[in-house]
Structure formats: C-alpha cells, structure tokens
Amino acid sequence: MKKILKVLGYLVLGLLSFCVLYIVAEYSLSRISAPRKKIDEEKTIEVFVKSNGIHTDIVLPVTSEEMDWSLLFPYANTVGKHNGYRYVGIGWGDKGFYLDTPEWKDLKASTAFVAAFGLGESAVHVTYYNTVQQDELCFAYQISRSQYRDLVQYIEESLDRNEHEAILVKTDAQYGDSDAFYEAKGAYSMFYSCNTWTNNALKKASMPAGIWATLDKGILSHYKK
C-alpha cells in the first residue's frame, strides 16, 4: 500500500511540476518578441488582432487587390446570407470545441481530452463584420501589401480543400448569422492551440508576436500601448 501511495505521490508531483513549467514557459515565451524582418514598403492595409477573451482571430478587409475573401468563403454559406461586409475575422481551432462547446459550461471532459492531446480534427471559423471596434481585446495594425500576401498564404495553406474550394462544415452550430466553419489542416493540442495558430500567422507576416503562445493574453500584450 505504501508503494502505491508513493507512486501516486510521484505522479501527482510530476503533474503539478509539468503544469507549473507549462504556465511559466507560456507566459515567458508569449511575451518575448519573435524576430521580425524589416519592412521597407509603405504600410497601407489595416488589419486587426481580435480576441473574445480566450480565442484570437485575425480580422482583414474582405476585398483588396490581393484577395477577395468572399470568393473563398461565400456569403451564401452564412445563415444570414447577407453580402457587402467590410471585414472578415478568421481563426483556427479544434472542431469539437467550435461545434460542441458554444460556452464553457457546455465543455465535456471528452472534448477537452481529445483537444488537449491532438486527437481531434480542426476547423477554420470565418465571421463577417460591417464594423470593427477597437478596445482592450481588439487592436488595429498597419501592414504592407507583401505582409498581407503572407497572411493570405498562411490562411489558405491552413485550409483542407476540395480542388480549389474551401470545404464547408455543414452544421447548425454557427454563433450568429454571419459566420461559417470550414475544414482545416492540423490538430489542436495543449502545445498548439487556436492562439498558437494566430501567433504563427503574425510571425509569418512579420507582425508583432511572441516566440510561442497558447493563450490570447501573450499575443495581445504586443499590441497594447
């Protein structure tokens, strides 16, 4: 019995040590600025880094010389089917979290387990907006056309496509009348979260970002003045 208790004690101690190390590493690395290349071009495109308090999205103009997002993510795929939106918010995450957990009170242990250990599928969540309000969870940032092209490439490469089309996730779990889900590549895990995806997108485009981030707060810390 003593041996069993000793083993259990080591397991608990190991788990606690891992949790502490994880929290310290995430907090530290997410706030250390990742290297960025120097951008000499004029920065004429305004984008946003937006959080809902947990999950981050990148918000972009719907149409520009580089991209028309309404062609890749048709308005007809939203519940409202309205057109003419000015901005589109794009985020990546675990499909189970997106579709089965509209609020934290709906979180199931099985969903959390699958997501934490990278056992589930992923999805891209697309939300259209008429306006974007800057606040403590949403920050505007000016980028160049080449930086914007890097963002476009990163997002497109995250999609699981059928030929050249994004694959719509058929569900009634939309959050409103202007959003939709699409199949994506990769798997969510405790080391690669929705916010890691956003942080990597920002690094790809030489925007302010942390070395590694799994929570929104580290990402937003690079945009707070």
Side-chain angles (χ1 to χ4, degrees), residues 5-219:
L5 291 175
K6 187 175 182 179
V7 171
L8 288 175
Y10 281 131
L11 289 175
V12 171
L13 180 61
L15 180 60
L16 290 175
S17 299
F18 171 79
C19 291
V20 171
L21 179 62
Y22 180 92
I23 292 170
V24 171
E26 201 287 332
Y27 184 91
S28 302
L29 295 176
S30 66
R31 286 159 175 79
I32 298 174
S33 295
R36 287 191 283 158
K37 64 182 179 182
K38 184 178 179 181
I39 305 298
D40 294 323
E41 299 173 67
E42 186 178 3
K43 297 179 179 180
T44 58
I45 302 175
E46 184 176 58
V47 300
F48 300 83
V49 179
K50 178 179 173 63
S51 172
N52 63 3
I54 298 173
H55 169 92
T56 50
D57 285 346
I58 301 171
V59 183
L60 312 164
V62 172
T63 59
S64 65
E65 292 183 22
E66 285 70 30
M67 185 64 177
D68 184 342
W69 293 105
S70 68
L71 298 179
L72 182 59
F73 306 124
Y75 297 130
N77 289 342
T78 66
V79 173
K81 304 186 187 304
H82 304 301
N83 55 30
Y85 290 104
R86 294 181 59 197
Y87 302 100
V88 58
I90 302 174
W92 175 97
D94 180 76
K95 191 192 292 186
F97 262 118
Y98 272 140
L99 304 185
D100 303 328
T101 315
E103 297 181 15
W104 280 110
K105 64 181 179 63
D106 302 309
L107 179 62
K108 300 176 183 178
S110 58
T111 301
F113 180 86
V114 168
F117 292 96
L119 302 176
E121 298 178 331
S122 60
V124 164
H125 185 219
V126 175
T127 308
Y128 285 106
Y129 301 98
N130 286 314
T131 60
V132 179
Q133 181 66 44
Q134 294 188 67
D135 54 30
E136 69 279 2
L137 293 177
C138 182
F139 298 88
Y141 194 78
Q142 295 289 133
I143 62 174
S144 69
R145 293 177 63 182
S146 65
Q147 287 175 285
Y148 188 71
R149 286 193 293 270
D150 287 338
L151 279 180
V152 171
Q153 180 184 20
Y154 180 87
I155 293 168
E156 288 188 315
E157 290 178 349
S158 298
L159 292 167
D160 191 2
R161 297 197 185 203
N162 179 12
E163 296 294 334
H164 299 294
E165 296 182 356
I167 303 172
L168 177 69
V169 176
K170 295 181 180 180
T171 177
D172 58 0
Q174 287 92 345
Y175 299 165
D177 65 359
S178 63
D179 69 317
F181 296 95
Y182 296 86
E183 300 287 356
K185 297 176 182 177
Y188 184 108
S189 74
M190 67 178 72
F191 299 106
Y192 192 96
S193 73
C194 52
N195 298 309
T196 311
W197 180 89
T198 299
N199 191 68
N200 286 351
L202 301 175
K203 290 197 290 185
K204 170 82 173 179
S206 294
M207 294 173 61
I211 292 177
W212 174 66
T214 60
L215 303 176
D216 68 322
K217 293 177 179 57
I219 295 173

